[in-house]
Amino acid sequence: MSDKHLTYADSGVDIEKEESTIKALTSGMTYRREGLGAPLTDIGHYAGLIEFGEYALAMATDGVGSKVLIANEMKRWNTVGIDCIAMNVNDLLAIGAEPISFVDYLALEEHTDEFARQIGEGLTRGAEISKMTIVGGETATLPEIINGFDLAGTCLGMVKKNEIITGEKVQLGDVLVGIPSSGVHSNGYTLVRNIVDQSKHSYHDNFPYNSETTIGDELLIPTRIYMEVLDVIKECDVHGLAHITGSGLLKLKRVTDLGFDFTDPIEPNDIFKFLQEEGNVDDLEMYRTFNMGMGFLIVLPEADAKKAAEMTGGKIVGKIVESGIRVGDLEIV
């Protein structure tokens, strides 16, 4: 266990500085196309939406992040393609869009066929789960820039304009249905790696909570893809959706200005217990960095909550309140 409380910022990722950078980057992006292809949302939601007749086209772009360094250490790359697909698809699902196609971007230090085969294996599996086609991509050899590899992609989806879910319908008394995550997913790995590096463990050691696997393999469990959310949207009156990624529950501020009270949160996966113990990370930092066992959230009326929970393998975790984000007695904001 670390003697100090490890944090995401001390590990190299300061969420507040990141938000400031995003504001600086986007502040001058004022041009807006008109007619077909005109934007339907401002920058800042989970995905961008553009005018396309009866439909809106949805776009999202994301990558795997520093999780790829653990894949390199374990010399196992057949899951990070799933992560790449999942991070994009889940963002589309969070505004109610169905994913339809994907392009990837693979930047390499050097070429090896077995590595490429495994990357392709993961991308293919992610596309199958998401029921969409990979229509192309780009491979760049950048030995002077890339140390190892970086994997990212862009996803295209569609949604009828009258079925877009942005959170504007969320109201006091709505119920929160949380859907379990498969683990750390693909966020917070700068802190994850710092914790492991400063611990007595290596990625190849047995995972203390399950001796049949290693710490590295536990951390490479791919991000869950929440396609069942589309079925919930068809059968329930969904008011809001959230993909819980980097910055943890702080992401909920994208959905509504109202508050979230988690009175019965999902039990965090064992990997989070391991990371918190080894890194001496406090509860607030954990919930502001990781998904803590809940990778997706559905906001809907109480009458539909039980059905949504049954359809997704989730559970009712709380309700919408006037302000703040709370997990039990813990104030997130």
Side-chain angles (χ1 to χ4, degrees):
M1 177 186 290
S2 174
D3 293 332
K4 61 176 290 190
H5 291 283
L6 296 183
T7 68
Y8 206 13
D10 290 342
S11 300
V13 180
D14 189 315
I15 293 171
E16 292 182 0
K17 288 183 178 179
E18 193 172 86
E19 289 180 353
S20 177
T21 297
I22 293 170
K23 288 180 180 177
L25 175 67
T26 59
S27 61
M29 295 180 180
T30 57
Y31 175 76
R32 296 172 69 89
R33 177 186 172 101
E34 297 180 357
L36 196 66
L40 297 174
T41 53
D42 293 327
I43 294 173
H45 214 289
Y46 283 100
L49 293 168
I50 61 173
E51 167 73 40
F52 206 71
E54 180 186 357
Y55 288 86
L57 293 184
M59 294 186 70
T61 189
D62 207 343
V64 181
S66 64
K67 187 173 185 176
V68 301
L69 297 175
I70 299 176
N72 282 341
E73 173 65 27
M74 301 301 293
K75 298 192 183 307
R76 185 163 70 81
W77 303 282
N78 63 345
T79 60
V80 291
I82 301 174
D83 288 303
C84 186
I85 298 277
M87 295 305 294
N88 283 278
V89 166
N90 289 341
D91 276 357
L92 292 190
L93 296 174
I95 50 93
E98 178 182 356
I100 54 177
S101 62
F102 189 85
V103 293
D104 65 275
Y105 174 74
L106 177 62
L108 298 162
E109 180 182 12
E110 61 181 0
H111 292 271
T112 61
D113 289 348
E114 176 56 21
F115 161 80
R117 186 197 67 76
Q118 290 194 32
I119 293 293
E121 177 185 333
L123 288 169
T124 299
R125 180 57 185 146
E128 289 173 348
I129 296 170
S130 307
K131 300 178 182 178
M132 67 176 182
T133 307
I134 298 175
V135 295
E138 173 70 12
T139 301
T141 309
L142 303 169
E144 295 175 312
I145 299 176
I146 296 295
N147 180 16
F149 78 101
D150 187 29
L151 179 63
T154 299
C155 192
L156 177 68
M158 65 179 186
V159 56
K160 287 186 176 180
K161 285 190 288 189
N162 62 353
E163 296 177 359
I164 296 169
I165 299 172
T166 62
E168 61 184 20
K169 292 174 60 179
V170 173
Q171 56 189 314
L172 288 173
D174 277 351
V175 171
L176 310 176
V177 172
I179 312 177
S181 68
S182 55
V184 184
H185 283 183
S186 196
N187 298 103
Y189 275 82
T190 300
L191 177 55
V192 167
R193 291 183 298 103
N194 191 19
I195 291 171
V196 176
D197 289 345
Q198 296 196 35
S199 76
K200 63 183 179 181
H201 301 283
S202 81
Y203 294 111
H204 301 278
D205 290 342
N206 286 340
F207 180 48
Y209 286 83
N210 179 4
S211 61
E212 295 183 0
T213 190
T214 66
I215 294 169
D217 285 334
E218 187 73 18
L219 289 168
L220 286 179
I221 292 174
T223 305
R224 178 173 171 178
I225 299 174
Y226 295 95
M227 289 295 288
E228 59 270 43
V229 168
L230 293 177
D231 294 326
V232 175
I233 292 171
K234 292 176 184 177
E235 298 191 27
C236 301
D237 181 20
V238 175
H239 289 178
L241 299 162
H243 179 204
I244 312 301
T245 59
S247 71
L249 294 183
L250 295 176
K251 276 288 192 293
L252 298 179
K253 293 188 290 184
R254 290 182 172 185
V255 178
T256 178
D257 291 331
L258 293 171
F260 297 76
D261 187 11
F262 293 92
T263 53
D264 187 20
I266 293 174
E267 178 74 14
N269 314 55
D270 287 339
I271 188 62
F272 296 115
K273 301 172 187 176
F274 168 79
L275 292 170
Q276 183 166 23
E277 179 180 340
E278 291 298 323
N280 196 21
V281 185
D282 64 38
D283 289 342
L284 184 60
E285 185 71 9
M286 292 296 290
Y287 276 99
R288 285 185 166 189
T289 304
F290 301 114
N291 67 64
M292 294 300 284
M294 183 180 70
F296 210 94
L297 184 71
I298 304 174
V299 184
L300 71 179
E302 184 176 5
D304 286 336
K306 183 177 180 182
K307 182 176 183 178
E310 291 173 350
M311 292 178 68
T312 59
K315 75 169 191 173
I316 295 171
V317 293
K319 63 181 180 180
I320 292 292
V321 293
E322 288 188 358
S323 63
I325 301 174
R326 293 187 296 273
V327 181
D329 295 330
L330 184 67
E331 295 276 349
I332 308 301
V333 292

